[in-house]
């Protein structure tokens, strides 16, 4: 029986269609399960900023205790997030940002820094000489803008390294896959593809399947997700030459929400760590992440058993009551 939960958290997610967001949700739901008084409600905007604005308005009208938002694009989502914040609802912005500082706290890695790290790494990898196609995430979303800016800063000291074409991949593998070949055929001499996430790098890679150049072209992405559909696997398989870890932060988000809701101290800016993953460390990274995945499954199994025990206990209490009344 669903008892009335004391605290409602509304999470407006820009999309839940990809493995990275699914991992984020799993982490959040596991962390929430340690706090049975919290009801986490997730609305999926399916990559539509208009839909996301409507979702956030629904959460405001419903009177949620705390709002979590991962904005599809910064500009269109900013006013409604400001509105929620000004109405006194604590707002945690995650991963993608708005264009304003009207929010309670932020959780995510520093995308400018990651982009810069990627630029420096790639310039070294290419020995200071090479042509690049950059596959962009949604151009109105802050991680795409910041990764791009950081990347240009990272290669700035290497005049021989240049971006010769852009592809608008909108964070989606299939879109990158459809649009990459045109840019590639217009620039057949490129050395490397930098995609703003791993799945778009994979899309670009797959789009030129069977062509001789596929093998000697270099591919670099961001995310470094574990599991069978993640960037760690793509690096291990030799599809990607490198990726830059972009943690999902699901656990940190719920812990932060908990602290805010209980008037405990918290930081406004919560910056998650990053690192480069390539053939030198992918193996150990994969082992670690596989181990975590197994531990997570075992936590979920244990929780399931606890619920079963509680059910059993409740039934027995009911039975005792009936017996004592008769
Ligand atoms: C997942 C994703 C990640 C990327 C992030 C940027 O939806 O596209 O691959 O790092 O969003 O916001």
């Amino acid at each position: 029986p669903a008892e009335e939960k004391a605290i409602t958290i509304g999470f407006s997610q820009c999309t839940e269609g990809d493995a990275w967001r699914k991992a984020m949700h799993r982490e959040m739901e596991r962390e929430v399960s340690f706090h049975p008084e919290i009801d986490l409600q997730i609305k999926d905007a399916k990559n539509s900023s208009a839909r996301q604005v409507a979702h956030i308005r629904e959460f405001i009208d419903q009177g949620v205790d705390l709002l979590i938002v991962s904005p599809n694009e910064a500009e269109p989502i900013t006013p409604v997030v400001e509105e929620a914040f000004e109405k006194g609802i604590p707002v945690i912005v995650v991963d993608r940002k708005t264009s304003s500082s009207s929010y309670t706290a932020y959780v995510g890695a520093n995308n400018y820094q990651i982009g810069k790290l990627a630029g420096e790494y790639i310039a070294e990898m290419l020995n200071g000489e090479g042509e690049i196609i950059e596959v962009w995430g949604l151009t109105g979303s802050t991680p795409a803008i910041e990764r791009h800016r950081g990347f240009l800063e990272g290669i700035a000291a290497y005049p021989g390294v240049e971006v010769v074409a852009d592809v608008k991949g909108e964070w989606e593998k299939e879109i990158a896959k459809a649009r990459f070949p045109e840019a590639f055929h217009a620039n057949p001499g490129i050395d490397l593809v930098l995609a703003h996430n791993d799945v778009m790098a994979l899309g670009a890679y797959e789009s030129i399947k069977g062509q001789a150049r596929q093998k000697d072209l270099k591919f670099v992405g961001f995310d470094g997700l574990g599991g069978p559909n993640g960037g760690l696997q793509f690096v291990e398989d030799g599809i990607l030459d490198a990726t830059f870890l972009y943690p999902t932060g699901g656990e940190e988000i719920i812990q932060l929400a908990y602290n805010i809701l209980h008037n405990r101290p918290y930081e406004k800016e919560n910056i998650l760590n990053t690192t480069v993953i390539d053939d030198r460390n992918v193996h150990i990274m994969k082992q670690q992440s596989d181990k975590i995945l197994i531990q997570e499954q075992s936590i979920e199994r244990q929780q399931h058993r606890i619920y079963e025990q509680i059910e059993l206990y409740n039934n027995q209490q009911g039975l005792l009551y009936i017996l004592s009344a008769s």
Side-chain angles (χ1 to χ4, degrees):
E3 77 271 35
E4 199 53 43
K5 305 250 182 175
I7 296 173
T8 303
I9 297 179
F11 179 15
S12 166
Q13 175 67 295
C14 50
T15 170
E16 57 179 31
D18 56 79
W20 190 85
R21 306 255 165 207
K22 291 197 169 102
M24 180 195 259
H25 292 182
R26 272 201 311 277
E27 290 166 28
M28 291 172 83
E29 266 148 16
R30 188 175 354 96
E31 196 60 27
V32 160
S33 70
F34 298 129
H35 306 288
E37 74 283 10
I38 297 180
D39 177 21
L40 174 67
Q41 301 178 4
I42 303 179
K43 290 185 200 272
D44 172 12
K46 299 193 166 68
N47 296 315
S48 155
S49 297
R51 195 177 292 132
Q52 186 164 33
V53 170
H55 284 167
I56 296 173
R57 189 139 288 131
E58 283 163 24
F59 280 138
I60 296 176
D61 293 344
Q62 180 188 338
V64 292
D65 298 294
L66 184 141
L67 181 67
I68 302 171
V69 182
S70 189
N72 188 49
E73 297 166 291
E75 294 297 330
I77 307 302
T78 298
V80 70
V81 168
E82 286 183 324
E83 187 185 319
F85 182 72
E86 274 148 26
K87 285 190 167 141
I89 302 175
V91 181
I92 301 180
V93 176
V94 304
D95 157 45
R96 305 184 189 173
K97 297 177 180 167
T98 61
S99 317
S100 124
S101 56
S102 292
Y103 56 85
T104 311
Y106 171 78
V107 180
N110 181 333
N111 282 297
Y112 174 80
Q113 206 51 46
I114 301 184
K116 190 168 170 217
L117 204 63
E120 290 162 355
Y121 178 91
I122 284 170
E124 288 292 319
M125 180 157 85
L126 295 176
N127 292 317
E129 201 72 52
E131 294 187 356
I132 297 167
I133 292 181
E134 183 176 356
V135 182
W136 275 70
L138 210 56
T139 53
S141 68
T142 59
I145 298 165
E146 291 169 1
R147 285 173 197 180
H148 169 75
R149 271 184 37 235
F151 182 70
L152 292 188
E153 185 60 33
I155 61 172
Y158 304 84
V161 176
E162 57 172 333
V163 176
V164 295
D166 294 332
V167 173
K168 288 189 164 67
E170 303 180 14
W171 297 119
E172 297 288 330
K173 178 187 169 189
E174 293 307 323
I175 298 179
K177 194 168 173 173
R179 295 183 182 163
F180 183 75
E182 190 188 333
F184 179 59
H185 294 307
N187 299 277
I190 62 154
D191 303 285
L192 184 140
V193 178
L194 171 72
H196 288 175
N197 71 10
D198 293 337
V199 291
M200 294 192 296
L202 179 66
Y205 174 86
E206 288 179 358
S207 78
I208 54 170
K209 197 175 175 148
Q211 300 182 31
R213 292 281 283 120
Q214 190 199 33
K215 293 281 172 274
D216 47 68
L217 249 189
K218 295 187 186 322
F219 291 85
V220 175
F222 298 88
D223 282 346
L225 190 70
N229 304 313
L232 294 184
Q233 189 62 51
F234 309 156
V235 174
E236 178 117 311
D237 292 344
I239 294 171
L240 297 188
D241 293 83
T243 182
F244 294 82
L245 180 68
Y246 188 62
T248 53
E251 200 177 306
E252 289 84 350
I253 296 164
I254 296 301
Q255 285 164 358
L256 178 65
Y258 188 85
N259 288 340
I260 293 172
L261 287 163
H262 290 83
N263 295 313
R264 294 192 180 170
Y266 64 88
E267 299 287 332
K268 180 164 181 183
E269 303 297 328
N270 300 273
I271 306 305
L272 305 172
N273 289 328
T274 184
T275 187
V276 60
I277 299 157
D278 59 14
D279 61 357
R280 287 171 298 188
N281 65 349
V282 68
H283 202 64
I284 182 85
M285 293 291 288
K286 239 186 84 53
Q287 278 179 348
Q288 298 272 354
S289 107
D290 288 347
K291 201 165 160 185
I292 291 173
L293 288 176
I294 289 170
Q295 283 170 350
E296 284 174 347
Q297 283 161 6
S298 120
I299 291 175
E300 273 152 30
R301 270 202 312 277
Q302 284 173 13
Q303 261 163 1
H304 189 74
R305 275 197 206 134
I306 292 172
Y307 289 136
E308 281 175 353
Q309 292 297 320
I310 292 175
E311 279 289 289
L312 192 64
Y313 174 81
N314 287 342
N315 289 339
Q316 285 169 345
Q317 289 299 306
L319 198 61
L320 279 178
Y321 176 77
I322 294 168
L323 287 175
S324 67
S326 63

